Amino acid sequence: MIYVASDIHGCYDKYLRLIERLALKEDDTLYILGDIVDRGDGGIEIIKDVMKRKNVVCLRGNHDALALIFLKRFALQDHSAEERLKEGFKLWLEDGGEQTFSAFSKLDDNEKQSVLSFLDYLPFYEKISINGQRFFLAHTVCEKAKLIDIENCEARDFLFGEPEYEKCYFDDMIIVTGHTPTGFIDPDYVGQIWKGNNHIAIDSGAVFGNPLGCICLDTMEEIYVD
Ligand SMILES: [Mn+2]
Protein backbone atom coordinates (compact mmCIF):
# COMPACT_ATOMS: atom_id res chain seq x y z
CA MET A 1 0.00 0.00 0.00
CA ILE A 2 1.11 3.55 -0.70
CA TYR A 3 0.23 6.20 1.86
CA VAL A 4 0.70 9.95 1.63
CA ALA A 5 0.79 12.61 4.36
CA SER A 6 2.19 16.13 4.41
CA ASP A 7 2.95 19.25 6.43
CA ILE A 8 3.68 17.47 9.69
CA HIS A 9 5.52 20.64 10.78
CA GLY A 10 7.29 19.23 13.80
CA CYS A 11 4.25 17.45 15.26
CA TYR A 12 6.30 14.49 16.42
CA ASP A 13 3.51 12.90 18.48
CA LYS A 14 1.07 12.92 15.57
CA TYR A 15 3.79 11.56 13.30
CA LEU A 16 4.45 8.67 15.69
CA ARG A 17 0.75 7.92 16.03
CA LEU A 18 0.47 7.81 12.24
CA ILE A 19 3.43 5.44 11.99
CA GLU A 20 1.85 3.26 14.66
CA ARG A 21 -1.55 3.29 12.98
CA LEU A 22 -0.19 2.45 9.51
CA ALA A 23 2.04 -0.36 10.79
CA LEU A 24 3.90 -0.30 7.47
CA LYS A 25 4.69 -3.68 5.98
CA GLU A 26 7.76 -4.51 3.92
CA ASP A 27 6.19 -3.38 0.59
CA ASP A 28 4.28 -0.40 1.98
CA THR A 29 5.57 3.13 1.53
CA LEU A 30 4.62 6.32 3.32
CA TYR A 31 5.39 9.48 1.36
CA ILE A 32 5.61 12.70 3.32
CA LEU A 33 5.17 15.61 0.95
CA GLY A 34 7.40 18.12 2.72
CA ASP A 35 7.25 20.70 5.47
CA ILE A 36 8.47 18.19 8.00
CA VAL A 37 10.09 20.92 10.10
CA ASP A 38 9.18 24.33 11.56
CA ARG A 39 6.29 25.65 13.68
CA GLY A 40 6.08 22.55 15.91
CA ASP A 41 9.19 21.69 17.92
CA GLY A 42 9.64 18.04 16.87
CA GLY A 43 10.86 18.44 13.29
CA ILE A 44 14.41 17.33 13.97
CA GLU A 45 13.12 14.30 15.92
CA ILE A 46 10.93 13.37 12.94
CA ILE A 47 13.92 13.59 10.58
CA LYS A 48 15.99 11.40 12.90
CA ASP A 49 13.22 8.81 12.94
CA VAL A 50 12.59 8.93 9.17
CA MET A 51 16.30 8.37 8.52
CA LYS A 52 16.03 5.04 10.34
CA ARG A 53 13.09 3.82 8.26
CA LYS A 54 13.41 2.28 4.82
CA ASN A 55 9.83 2.82 3.72
CA VAL A 56 9.22 6.44 4.65
CA VAL A 57 10.10 8.76 1.77
CA CYS A 58 10.14 12.53 2.17
CA LEU A 59 9.86 15.20 -0.48
CA ARG A 60 11.01 18.79 -0.05
CA GLY A 61 8.74 21.57 1.17
CA ASN A 62 9.47 25.29 1.39
CA HIS A 63 10.17 25.03 5.13
CA ASP A 64 12.62 22.16 4.64
CA ALA A 65 14.37 24.12 1.88
CA LEU A 66 14.70 27.24 4.03
CA ALA A 67 15.78 25.23 7.08
CA LEU A 68 18.57 23.69 4.99
CA ILE A 69 19.83 27.10 3.87
CA PHE A 70 19.72 28.75 7.27
CA LEU A 71 20.88 25.83 9.41
CA LYS A 72 23.91 25.48 7.16
CA ARG A 73 24.67 29.18 7.39
CA PHE A 74 23.93 30.00 10.98
CA ALA A 75 23.98 26.87 13.09
CA LEU A 76 27.36 25.73 11.83
CA GLN A 77 30.40 27.89 12.37
CA ASP A 78 29.97 29.88 9.20
CA HIS A 79 29.93 33.61 9.83
CA SER A 80 30.30 34.68 6.24
CA ALA A 81 26.59 35.34 5.72
CA GLU A 82 25.60 38.57 4.04
CA GLU A 83 23.02 41.04 5.35
CA ARG A 84 20.37 39.86 2.90
CA LEU A 85 20.61 36.33 4.23
CA LYS A 86 20.43 37.63 7.77
CA GLU A 87 17.14 39.33 6.94
CA GLY A 88 15.82 36.08 5.42
CA PHE A 89 17.05 34.19 8.46
CA LYS A 90 15.05 36.47 10.76
CA LEU A 91 11.92 35.98 8.68
CA TRP A 92 12.40 32.21 8.72
CA LEU A 93 12.84 32.18 12.52
CA GLU A 94 9.59 34.12 12.87
CA ASP A 95 7.80 31.81 10.45
CA GLY A 96 8.36 28.72 12.60
CA GLY A 97 12.10 28.23 12.05
CA GLU A 98 12.93 29.12 15.66
CA GLN A 99 11.80 25.67 16.86
CA THR A 100 13.89 23.89 14.24
CA PHE A 101 16.94 26.08 14.84
CA SER A 102 16.81 25.50 18.57
CA ALA A 103 16.47 21.70 18.28
CA PHE A 104 19.21 21.54 15.63
CA SER A 105 21.60 23.54 17.79
CA LYS A 106 21.41 20.85 20.49
CA LEU A 107 22.59 18.05 18.16
CA ASP A 108 26.17 16.82 18.11
CA ASP A 109 28.27 17.45 14.99
CA ASN A 110 27.57 14.06 13.41
CA GLU A 111 23.85 14.41 13.88
CA LYS A 112 23.97 17.92 12.44
CA GLN A 113 25.72 16.67 9.32
CA SER A 114 23.28 13.83 8.82
CA VAL A 115 20.24 16.12 9.24
CA LEU A 116 21.72 18.57 6.74
CA SER A 117 22.47 15.90 4.18
CA PHE A 118 18.97 14.46 4.67
CA LEU A 119 17.51 17.90 3.86
CA ASP A 120 19.97 18.36 1.01
CA TYR A 121 18.85 15.20 -0.80
CA LEU A 122 15.09 15.64 -0.54
CA PRO A 123 13.51 15.35 -3.99
CA PHE A 124 11.08 17.99 -5.27
CA TYR A 125 8.55 15.59 -6.74
CA GLU A 126 7.88 11.96 -7.46
CA LYS A 127 5.76 10.29 -10.14
CA ILE A 128 4.30 6.93 -9.21
CA SER A 129 1.81 4.50 -10.66
CA ILE A 130 -0.56 2.31 -8.65
CA ASN A 131 -2.61 -0.33 -10.45
CA GLY A 132 -2.38 1.71 -13.67
CA GLN A 133 -3.36 5.02 -12.05
CA ARG A 134 -0.62 7.64 -12.25
CA PHE A 135 0.06 10.11 -9.45
CA PHE A 136 2.25 13.20 -9.28
CA LEU A 137 3.39 13.87 -5.72
CA ALA A 138 4.88 17.24 -4.68
CA HIS A 139 4.76 19.66 -1.77
CA THR A 140 2.93 22.03 -4.10
CA VAL A 141 2.72 22.77 -7.81
CA CYS A 142 2.52 25.91 -9.91
CA GLU A 143 -0.29 26.94 -12.23
CA LYS A 144 -1.45 24.48 -14.89
CA ALA A 145 -0.03 26.27 -17.93
CA LYS A 146 3.47 26.04 -16.46
CA LEU A 147 3.29 22.54 -14.91
CA ILE A 148 2.15 20.79 -18.07
CA ASP A 149 5.47 21.89 -19.57
CA ILE A 150 7.40 20.38 -16.67
CA GLU A 151 10.83 20.81 -18.24
CA ASN A 152 10.42 24.55 -17.77
CA CYS A 153 9.50 24.33 -14.09
CA GLU A 154 11.93 25.55 -11.46
CA ALA A 155 12.57 24.40 -7.89
CA ARG A 156 10.48 27.20 -6.46
CA ASP A 157 7.40 25.99 -8.40
CA PHE A 158 7.41 22.89 -6.19
CA LEU A 159 8.09 24.85 -3.00
CA PHE A 160 6.02 28.01 -3.29
CA GLY A 161 3.72 27.37 -6.28
CA GLU A 162 0.01 28.09 -6.03
CA PRO A 163 -1.98 25.21 -7.51
CA GLU A 164 -5.13 25.92 -9.47
CA TYR A 165 -7.31 23.41 -7.63
CA GLU A 166 -10.26 24.46 -9.75
CA LYS A 167 -8.52 23.12 -12.87
CA CYS A 168 -7.84 19.54 -13.94
CA TYR A 169 -4.17 19.54 -15.01
CA PHE A 170 -3.94 16.01 -16.43
CA ASP A 171 -6.73 13.62 -17.45
CA ASP A 172 -4.55 10.60 -16.73
CA MET A 173 -2.65 11.68 -13.61
CA ILE A 174 -3.79 12.77 -10.16
CA ILE A 175 -1.76 15.52 -8.48
CA VAL A 176 -1.26 15.05 -4.73
CA THR A 177 -0.07 18.13 -2.82
CA GLY A 178 0.30 19.55 0.68
CA HIS A 179 1.32 23.16 1.48
CA THR A 180 -2.16 24.68 1.24
CA PRO A 181 -4.30 23.87 4.28
CA THR A 182 -7.46 22.43 2.78
CA GLY A 183 -9.64 24.96 4.60
CA PHE A 184 -8.26 27.55 2.17
CA ILE A 185 -9.53 25.51 -0.78
CA ASP A 186 -12.97 24.94 0.73
CA PRO A 187 -13.88 26.14 4.23
CA ASP A 188 -16.00 22.99 4.67
CA TYR A 189 -12.82 20.92 4.56
CA VAL A 190 -10.88 22.37 7.48
CA GLY A 191 -8.86 19.49 8.97
CA GLN A 192 -9.81 17.10 6.16
CA ILE A 193 -8.40 15.84 2.88
CA TRP A 194 -9.87 17.57 -0.19
CA LYS A 195 -10.37 15.88 -3.56
CA GLY A 196 -11.46 17.36 -6.88
CA ASN A 197 -10.44 17.96 -10.51
CA ASN A 198 -7.77 15.23 -10.35
CA HIS A 199 -6.19 16.90 -7.34
CA ILE A 200 -5.87 15.49 -3.85
CA ALA A 201 -4.92 18.14 -1.28
CA ILE A 202 -3.76 16.61 1.97
CA ASP A 203 -2.53 19.41 4.25
CA SER A 204 -5.07 19.01 7.03
CA GLY A 205 -3.35 21.70 9.12
CA ALA A 206 -2.03 19.31 11.79
CA VAL A 207 0.16 21.98 13.39
CA PHE A 208 -2.85 24.28 13.76
CA GLY A 209 -4.67 21.86 16.06
CA ASN A 210 -6.33 19.65 13.44
CA PRO A 211 -5.83 15.90 13.07
CA LEU A 212 -2.98 14.79 10.80
CA GLY A 213 -4.50 13.43 7.61
CA CYS A 214 -3.10 10.62 5.48
CA ILE A 215 -4.51 8.94 2.38
CA CYS A 216 -3.98 5.44 1.07
CA LEU A 217 -3.66 5.83 -2.70
CA ASP A 218 -4.53 2.17 -3.37
CA THR A 219 -7.90 2.39 -1.65
CA MET A 220 -8.48 6.17 -1.21
CA GLU A 221 -9.10 5.45 2.46
CA GLU A 222 -8.46 8.51 4.62
CA ILE A 223 -6.76 8.06 7.96
CA TYR A 224 -6.65 10.75 10.65
CA VAL A 225 -4.65 10.79 13.86
CA ASP A 226 -4.86 13.27 16.74
MN1 LIG B 1 4.63 24.64 2.64
Side-chain angles (χ1 to χ4, degrees):
M1 297 286 182
I2 305 292
Y3 300 93
V4 194
S6 190
D7 294 75
I8 302 179
H9 276 302
C11 296
Y12 184 58
D13 292 348
K14 286 178 185 174
Y15 162 80
L16 280 188
R17 276 195 280 276
L18 180 63
I19 291 287
E20 250 172 60
R21 174 81 78 83
L22 297 180
L24 297 171
K25 303 200 178 56
E26 188 86 28
D27 336 328
D28 294 343
T29 302
L30 167 63
Y31 286 93
I32 299 174
L33 306 186
D35 283 5
I36 305 150
V37 299
D38 292 358
R39 300 210 165 103
D41 58 12
I44 298 291
E45 286 305 308
I46 297 172
I47 290 176
K48 285 165 69 179
D49 186 84
V50 167
M51 288 191 296
K52 287 186 280 185
R53 293 179 192 273
K54 275 198 217 121
N55 43 4
V56 179
V57 176
C58 294
L59 304 187
R60 185 182 308 234
N62 52 309
H63 282 270
D64 314 307
L66 291 177
L68 173 64
I69 292 169
F70 295 122
L71 292 177
K72 248 190 200 169
R73 280 280 182 164
F74 295 96
L76 302 182
Q77 299 300 311
D78 177 359
H79 298 299
S80 63
E82 312 87 32
E83 286 305 313
R84 196 173 58 81
L85 265 168
K86 281 190 183 156
E87 191 50 37
F89 179 54
K90 224 182 99 212
L91 290 173
W92 172 64
L93 290 178
E94 288 164 7
D95 192 29
E98 186 72 59
Q99 288 84 337
T100 308
F101 186 76
S102 152
F104 184 84
S105 303
K106 291 174 190 136
L107 300 177
D108 67 35
D109 288 350
N110 283 338
E111 289 174 319
K112 281 180 182 169
Q113 283 308 335
S114 56
V115 166
L116 290 179
S117 72
F118 173 86
L119 290 171
D120 213 3
Y121 285 99
L122 292 177
F124 289 94
Y125 61 83
E126 190 88 49
K127 283 181 185 174
I128 59 172
S129 185
I130 301 168
N131 305 323
Q133 173 62 58
R134 298 164 70 212
F135 294 92
F136 186 91
L137 314 179
H139 183 59
T140 187
V141 294
C142 53
E143 65 275 17
K144 176 178 178 175
K146 196 169 183 196
L147 188 74
I148 54 177
D149 189 12
I150 196 163
E151 298 304 316
N152 285 321
C153 287
E154 301 147 88
R156 66 185 149 105
D157 293 322
F158 302 106
L159 300 177
F160 299 100
E162 290 182 23
E164 295 173 298
Y165 289 110
E166 71 284 8
K167 290 186 188 170
C168 173
Y169 284 37
F170 306 102
D171 290 329
D172 60 349
M173 185 160 62
I174 296 172
I175 298 176
V176 189
T177 46
H179 187 61
T180 307
T182 50
F184 289 110
I185 304 170
D186 182 336
D188 289 344
Y189 280 78
V190 171
Q192 293 174 60
I193 289 165
W194 180 92
K195 300 189 196 101
N197 310 321
N198 269 2
H199 286 278
I200 303 176
I202 60 167
D203 179 2
S204 58
V207 76
F208 303 114
N210 298 305
L212 173 61
C214 174
I215 189 162
C216 174
L217 295 182
D218 302 72
T219 62
M220 291 297 151
E221 184 200 354
E222 298 174 18
I223 297 140
Y224 294 92
V225 291
D226 277 303

PDB file of all heavy atoms in Angstrom, residues 26 32 37 43 55 57 61 79 84 87 93 108 111 145 149 158 169 179-180 198 201 208 211-212 223:
ATOM      1  N   GLU A  26       6.597  -4.530   4.806  1.00  0.00           N
ATOM      2  CA  GLU A  26       7.762  -4.507   3.919  1.00  0.00           C
ATOM      3  C   GLU A  26       7.529  -3.747   2.599  1.00  0.00           C
ATOM      4  O   GLU A  26       8.328  -2.902   2.219  1.00  0.00           O
ATOM      5  CB  GLU A  26       8.148  -5.967   3.624  1.00  0.00           C
ATOM      6  CG  GLU A  26       9.439  -6.129   2.888  1.00  0.00           C
ATOM      7  CD  GLU A  26      10.656  -6.165   3.820  1.00  0.00           C
ATOM      8  OE1 GLU A  26      10.489  -6.585   4.979  1.00  0.00           O
ATOM      9  OE2 GLU A  26      11.747  -5.777   3.371  1.00  0.00           O
ATOM     10  N   ILE A  32       5.924  11.461   2.606  1.00  0.00           N
ATOM     11  CA  ILE A  32       5.615  12.705   3.325  1.00  0.00           C
ATOM     12  C   ILE A  32       5.978  13.845   2.382  1.00  0.00           C
ATOM     13  O   ILE A  32       7.146  13.989   1.995  1.00  0.00           O
ATOM     14  CB  ILE A  32       6.400  12.808   4.648  1.00  0.00           C
ATOM     15  CG1 ILE A  32       6.030  11.634   5.571  1.00  0.00           C
ATOM     16  CG2 ILE A  32       6.106  14.138   5.334  1.00  0.00           C
ATOM     17  CD1 ILE A  32       6.865  11.559   6.851  1.00  0.00           C
ATOM     18  N   VAL A  37       9.590  20.083   8.990  1.00  0.00           N
ATOM     19  CA  VAL A  37      10.087  20.915  10.099  1.00  0.00           C
ATOM     20  C   VAL A  37       9.310  22.230  10.217  1.00  0.00           C
ATOM     21  O   VAL A  37       8.464  22.542   9.401  1.00  0.00           O
ATOM     22  CB  VAL A  37      11.595  21.238   9.918  1.00  0.00           C
ATOM     23  CG1 VAL A  37      12.430  19.968   9.915  1.00  0.00           C
ATOM     24  CG2 VAL A  37      11.834  22.043   8.640  1.00  0.00           C
ATOM     25  N   GLY A  43      10.431  18.704  14.664  1.00  0.00           N
ATOM     26  CA  GLY A  43      10.861  18.443  13.286  1.00  0.00           C
ATOM     27  C   GLY A  43      12.152  17.650  13.185  1.00  0.00           C
ATOM     28  O   GLY A  43      12.266  16.723  12.385  1.00  0.00           O
ATOM     29  N   ASN A  55      11.006   2.581   4.564  1.00  0.00           N
ATOM     30  CA  ASN A  55       9.829   2.815   3.721  1.00  0.00           C
ATOM     31  C   ASN A  55       9.070   4.096   4.043  1.00  0.00           C
ATOM     32  O   ASN A  55       7.874   4.191   3.813  1.00  0.00           O
ATOM     33  CB  ASN A  55       8.903   1.596   3.716  1.00  0.00           C
ATOM     34  CG  ASN A  55       8.737   1.009   5.094  1.00  0.00           C
ATOM     35  OD1 ASN A  55       9.255   1.564   6.063  1.00  0.00           O
ATOM     36  ND2 ASN A  55       8.020  -0.091   5.187  1.00  0.00           N
ATOM     37  N   VAL A  57       9.401   7.950   2.770  1.00  0.00           N
ATOM     38  CA  VAL A  57      10.099   8.765   1.766  1.00  0.00           C
ATOM     39  C   VAL A  57       9.607  10.201   1.886  1.00  0.00           C
ATOM     40  O   VAL A  57       8.407  10.443   1.857  1.00  0.00           O
ATOM     41  CB  VAL A  57       9.796   8.240   0.339  1.00  0.00           C
ATOM     42  CG1 VAL A  57      10.443   9.127  -0.713  1.00  0.00           C
ATOM     43  CG2 VAL A  57      10.249   6.800   0.191  1.00  0.00           C
ATOM     44  N   GLY A  61       9.677  20.459   1.090  1.00  0.00           N
ATOM     45  CA  GLY A  61       8.743  21.574   1.172  1.00  0.00           C
ATOM     46  C   GLY A  61       9.509  22.876   1.328  1.00  0.00           C
ATOM     47  O   GLY A  61      10.730  22.869   1.535  1.00  0.00           O
ATOM     48  N   HIS A  79      30.351  32.238   9.552  1.00  0.00           N
ATOM     49  CA  HIS A  79      29.929  33.607   9.831  1.00  0.00           C
ATOM     50  C   HIS A  79      30.063  34.499   8.615  1.00  0.00           C
ATOM     51  O   HIS A  79      30.122  35.713   8.708  1.00  0.00           O
ATOM     52  CB  HIS A  79      30.734  34.166  11.007  1.00  0.00           C
ATOM     53  CG  HIS A  79      30.519  33.386  12.263  1.00  0.00           C
ATOM     54  ND1 HIS A  79      29.283  33.271  12.851  1.00  0.00           N
ATOM     55  CD2 HIS A  79      31.353  32.648  13.010  1.00  0.00           C
ATOM     56  CE1 HIS A  79      29.386  32.495  13.926  1.00  0.00           C
ATOM     57  NE2 HIS A  79      30.634  32.100  14.041  1.00  0.00           N
ATOM     58  N   ARG A  84      21.632  40.289   3.512  1.00  0.00           N
ATOM     59  CA  ARG A  84      20.369  39.863   2.904  1.00  0.00           C
ATOM     60  C   ARG A  84      19.938  38.512   3.475  1.00  0.00           C
ATOM     61  O   ARG A  84      18.770  38.280   3.778  1.00  0.00           O
ATOM     62  CB  ARG A  84      20.526  39.770   1.382  1.00  0.00           C
ATOM     63  CG  ARG A  84      19.228  39.705   0.608  1.00  0.00           C
ATOM     64  CD  ARG A  84      19.496  39.799  -0.893  1.00  0.00           C
ATOM     65  NE  ARG A  84      20.388  38.728  -1.345  1.00  0.00           N
ATOM     66  CZ  ARG A  84      19.991  37.488  -1.602  1.00  0.00           C
ATOM     67  NH1 ARG A  84      18.724  37.153  -1.449  1.00  0.00           N
ATOM     68  NH2 ARG A  84      20.846  36.582  -2.020  1.00  0.00           N
ATOM     69  N   GLU A  87      18.531  38.885   6.949  1.00  0.00           N
ATOM     70  CA  GLU A  87      17.137  39.328   6.937  1.00  0.00           C
ATOM     71  C   GLU A  87      16.219  38.126   6.692  1.00  0.00           C
ATOM     72  O   GLU A  87      15.219  37.933   7.381  1.00  0.00           O
ATOM     73  CB  GLU A  87      16.958  40.401   5.851  1.00  0.00           C
ATOM     74  CG  GLU A  87      15.649  41.145   5.889  1.00  0.00           C
ATOM     75  CD  GLU A  87      15.280  41.691   7.268  1.00  0.00           C
ATOM     76  OE1 GLU A  87      16.197  42.146   8.023  1.00  0.00           O
ATOM     77  OE2 GLU A  87      14.083  41.653   7.592  1.00  0.00           O
ATOM     78  N   LEU A  93      12.998  32.455  11.083  1.00  0.00           N
ATOM     79  CA  LEU A  93      12.835  32.182  12.522  1.00  0.00           C
ATOM     80  C   LEU A  93      11.427  32.541  12.968  1.00  0.00           C
ATOM     81  O   LEU A  93      10.781  31.790  13.696  1.00  0.00           O
ATOM     82  CB  LEU A  93      13.855  32.981  13.344  1.00  0.00           C
ATOM     83  CG  LEU A  93      15.325  32.551  13.235  1.00  0.00           C
ATOM     84  CD1 LEU A  93      16.201  33.472  14.080  1.00  0.00           C
ATOM     85  CD2 LEU A  93      15.524  31.099  13.664  1.00  0.00           C
ATOM     86  N   ASP A 108      24.709  16.861  18.239  1.00  0.00           N
ATOM     87  CA  ASP A 108      26.173  16.824  18.111  1.00  0.00           C
ATOM     88  C   ASP A 108      26.543  16.965  16.626  1.00  0.00           C
ATOM     89  O   ASP A 108      25.673  16.938  15.755  1.00  0.00           O
ATOM     90  CB  ASP A 108      26.761  15.565  18.757  1.00  0.00           C
ATOM     91  CG  ASP A 108      26.376  14.284  18.045  1.00  0.00           C
ATOM     92  OD1 ASP A 108      26.258  14.301  16.801  1.00  0.00           O
ATOM     93  OD2 ASP A 108      26.177  13.254  18.727  1.00  0.00           O
ATOM     94  N   GLU A 111      25.298  14.326  14.104  1.00  0.00           N
ATOM     95  CA  GLU A 111      23.847  14.411  13.878  1.00  0.00           C
ATOM     96  C   GLU A 111      23.522  15.626  13.006  1.00  0.00           C
ATOM     97  O   GLU A 111      22.672  15.556  12.119  1.00  0.00           O
ATOM     98  CB  GLU A 111      23.114  14.534  15.220  1.00  0.00           C
ATOM     99  CG  GLU A 111      23.124  13.264  16.048  1.00  0.00           C
ATOM    100  CD  GLU A 111      22.517  13.480  17.435  1.00  0.00           C
ATOM    101  OE1 GLU A 111      22.794  14.533  18.066  1.00  0.00           O
ATOM    102  OE2 GLU A 111      21.774  12.596  17.876  1.00  0.00           O
ATOM    103  N   ALA A 145      -0.712  25.965 -16.672  1.00  0.00           N
ATOM    104  CA  ALA A 145      -0.027  26.270 -17.931  1.00  0.00           C
ATOM    105  C   ALA A 145       1.467  25.992 -17.822  1.00  0.00           C
ATOM    106  O   ALA A 145       2.093  25.553 -18.780  1.00  0.00           O
ATOM    107  CB  ALA A 145      -0.275  27.728 -18.318  1.00  0.00           C
ATOM    108  N   ASP A 149       4.179  21.836 -18.877  1.00  0.00           N
ATOM    109  CA  ASP A 149       5.466  21.887 -19.574  1.00  0.00           C
ATOM    110  C   ASP A 149       6.569  21.744 -18.514  1.00  0.00           C
ATOM    111  O   ASP A 149       7.324  22.672 -18.237  1.00  0.00           O
ATOM    112  CB  ASP A 149       5.553  23.246 -20.275  1.00  0.00           C
ATOM    113  CG  ASP A 149       6.750  23.316 -21.207  1.00  0.00           C
ATOM    114  OD1 ASP A 149       7.356  22.257 -21.474  1.00  0.00           O
ATOM    115  OD2 ASP A 149       7.082  24.427 -21.642  1.00  0.00           O
ATOM    116  N   PHE A 158       7.800  24.023  -7.035  1.00  0.00           N
ATOM    117  CA  PHE A 158       7.409  22.887  -6.193  1.00  0.00           C
ATOM    118  C   PHE A 158       7.534  23.203  -4.702  1.00  0.00           C
ATOM    119  O   PHE A 158       7.245  22.365  -3.855  1.00  0.00           O
ATOM    120  CB  PHE A 158       8.249  21.659  -6.560  1.00  0.00           C
ATOM    121  CG  PHE A 158       8.103  21.288  -8.004  1.00  0.00           C
ATOM    122  CD1 PHE A 158       9.124  21.541  -8.920  1.00  0.00           C
ATOM    123  CD2 PHE A 158       6.914  20.742  -8.469  1.00  0.00           C
ATOM    124  CE1 PHE A 158       8.968  21.241 -10.263  1.00  0.00           C
ATOM    125  CE2 PHE A 158       6.748  20.432  -9.809  1.00  0.00           C
ATOM    126  CZ  PHE A 158       7.775  20.682 -10.711  1.00  0.00           C
ATOM    127  N   TYR A 169      -5.428  19.356 -14.263  1.00  0.00           N
ATOM    128  CA  TYR A 169      -4.175  19.543 -15.008  1.00  0.00           C
ATOM    129  C   TYR A 169      -3.960  18.423 -16.018  1.00  0.00           C
ATOM    130  O   TYR A 169      -3.530  18.653 -17.126  1.00  0.00           O
ATOM    131  CB  TYR A 169      -2.971  19.549 -14.053  1.00  0.00           C
ATOM    132  CG  TYR A 169      -2.744  20.809 -13.235  1.00  0.00           C
ATOM    133  CD1 TYR A 169      -3.791  21.557 -12.714  1.00  0.00           C
ATOM    134  CD2 TYR A 169      -1.452  21.236 -12.962  1.00  0.00           C
ATOM    135  CE1 TYR A 169      -3.552  22.696 -11.942  1.00  0.00           C
ATOM    136  CE2 TYR A 169      -1.193  22.373 -12.188  1.00  0.00           C
ATOM    137  CZ  TYR A 169      -2.253  23.095 -11.678  1.00  0.00           C
ATOM    138  OH  TYR A 169      -2.007  24.203 -10.912  1.00  0.00           O
ATOM    139  N   HIS A 179       1.010  21.715   1.511  1.00  0.00           N
ATOM    140  CA  HIS A 179       1.318  23.157   1.480  1.00  0.00           C
ATOM    141  C   HIS A 179       0.125  24.074   1.749  1.00  0.00           C
ATOM    142  O   HIS A 179       0.228  25.015   2.521  1.00  0.00           O
ATOM    143  CB  HIS A 179       1.987  23.515   0.156  1.00  0.00           C
ATOM    144  CG  HIS A 179       2.485  24.932   0.080  1.00  0.00           C
ATOM    145  ND1 HIS A 179       3.450  25.422   0.944  1.00  0.00           N
ATOM    146  CD2 HIS A 179       2.160  25.960  -0.753  1.00  0.00           C
ATOM    147  CE1 HIS A 179       3.705  26.696   0.625  1.00  0.00           C
ATOM    148  NE2 HIS A 179       2.926  27.048  -0.382  1.00  0.00           N
ATOM    149  N   THR A 180      -0.984  23.820   1.083  1.00  0.00           N
ATOM    150  CA  THR A 180      -2.160  24.675   1.239  1.00  0.00           C
ATOM    151  C   THR A 180      -3.144  23.979   2.171  1.00  0.00           C
ATOM    152  O   THR A 180      -3.728  22.966   1.796  1.00  0.00           O
ATOM    153  CB  THR A 180      -2.845  24.892  -0.126  1.00  0.00           C
ATOM    154  OG1 THR A 180      -1.887  25.369  -1.060  1.00  0.00           O
ATOM    155  CG2 THR A 180      -3.999  25.869  -0.002  1.00  0.00           C
ATOM    156  N   ASN A 198      -9.036  15.996 -10.309  1.00  0.00           N
ATOM    157  CA  ASN A 198      -7.772  15.229 -10.355  1.00  0.00           C
ATOM    158  C   ASN A 198      -6.680  15.825  -9.467  1.00  0.00           C
ATOM    159  O   ASN A 198      -5.484  15.736  -9.769  1.00  0.00           O
ATOM    160  CB  ASN A 198      -7.257  15.034 -11.790  1.00  0.00           C
ATOM    161  CG  ASN A 198      -7.794  13.736 -12.400  1.00  0.00           C
ATOM    162  OD1 ASN A 198      -8.576  13.025 -11.756  1.00  0.00           O
ATOM    163  ND2 ASN A 198      -7.379  13.419 -13.612  1.00  0.00           N
ATOM    164  N   ALA A 201      -5.644  17.199  -2.138  1.00  0.00           N
ATOM    165  CA  ALA A 201      -4.918  18.136  -1.276  1.00  0.00           C
ATOM    166  C   ALA A 201      -4.973  17.576   0.136  1.00  0.00           C
ATOM    167  O   ALA A 201      -6.054  17.301   0.666  1.00  0.00           O
ATOM    168  CB  ALA A 201      -5.567  19.519  -1.340  1.00  0.00           C
ATOM    169  N   PHE A 208      -1.900  23.261  13.289  1.00  0.00           N
ATOM    170  CA  PHE A 208      -2.851  24.275  13.756  1.00  0.00           C
ATOM    171  C   PHE A 208      -3.975  23.644  14.574  1.00  0.00           C
ATOM    172  O   PHE A 208      -5.081  24.176  14.662  1.00  0.00           O
ATOM    173  CB  PHE A 208      -3.414  25.064  12.562  1.00  0.00           C
ATOM    174  CG  PHE A 208      -2.333  25.719  11.735  1.00  0.00           C
ATOM    175  CD1 PHE A 208      -2.101  25.322  10.425  1.00  0.00           C
ATOM    176  CD2 PHE A 208      -1.533  26.717  12.273  1.00  0.00           C
ATOM    177  CE1 PHE A 208      -1.090  25.916   9.660  1.00  0.00           C
ATOM    178  CE2 PHE A 208      -0.521  27.321  11.522  1.00  0.00           C
ATOM    179  CZ  PHE A 208      -0.301  26.918  10.211  1.00  0.00           C
ATOM    180  N   PRO A 211      -6.453  17.217  13.196  1.00  0.00           N
ATOM    181  CA  PRO A 211      -5.830  15.898  13.074  1.00  0.00           C
ATOM    182  C   PRO A 211      -4.866  15.888  11.887  1.00  0.00           C
ATOM    183  O   PRO A 211      -5.016  16.685  10.959  1.00  0.00           O
ATOM    184  CB  PRO A 211      -7.006  14.964  12.800  1.00  0.00           C
ATOM    185  CG  PRO A 211      -8.223  15.713  13.204  1.00  0.00           C
ATOM    186  CD  PRO A 211      -7.908  17.165  13.027  1.00  0.00           C
ATOM    187  N   LEU A 212      -3.883  14.990  11.933  1.00  0.00           N
ATOM    188  CA  LEU A 212      -2.980  14.794  10.798  1.00  0.00           C
ATOM    189  C   LEU A 212      -3.637  13.811   9.835  1.00  0.00           C
ATOM    190  O   LEU A 212      -3.960  12.694  10.219  1.00  0.00           O
ATOM    191  CB  LEU A 212      -1.633  14.242  11.297  1.00  0.00           C
ATOM    192  CG  LEU A 212      -0.626  13.815  10.226  1.00  0.00           C
ATOM    193  CD1 LEU A 212      -0.223  14.976   9.326  1.00  0.00           C
ATOM    194  CD2 LEU A 212       0.607  13.188  10.876  1.00  0.00           C
ATOM    195  N   ILE A 223      -7.106   8.438   6.585  1.00  0.00           N
ATOM    196  CA  ILE A 223      -6.765   8.063   7.959  1.00  0.00           C
ATOM    197  C   ILE A 223      -6.410   9.351   8.691  1.00  0.00           C
ATOM    198  O   ILE A 223      -5.660  10.186   8.166  1.00  0.00           O
ATOM    199  CB  ILE A 223      -5.527   7.123   7.948  1.00  0.00           C
ATOM    200  CG1 ILE A 223      -5.877   5.821   7.203  1.00  0.00           C
ATOM    201  CG2 ILE A 223      -5.016   6.834   9.354  1.00  0.00           C
ATOM    202  CD1 ILE A 223      -4.797   5.297   6.337  1.00  0.00           C
TER     203      ILE A 223
END
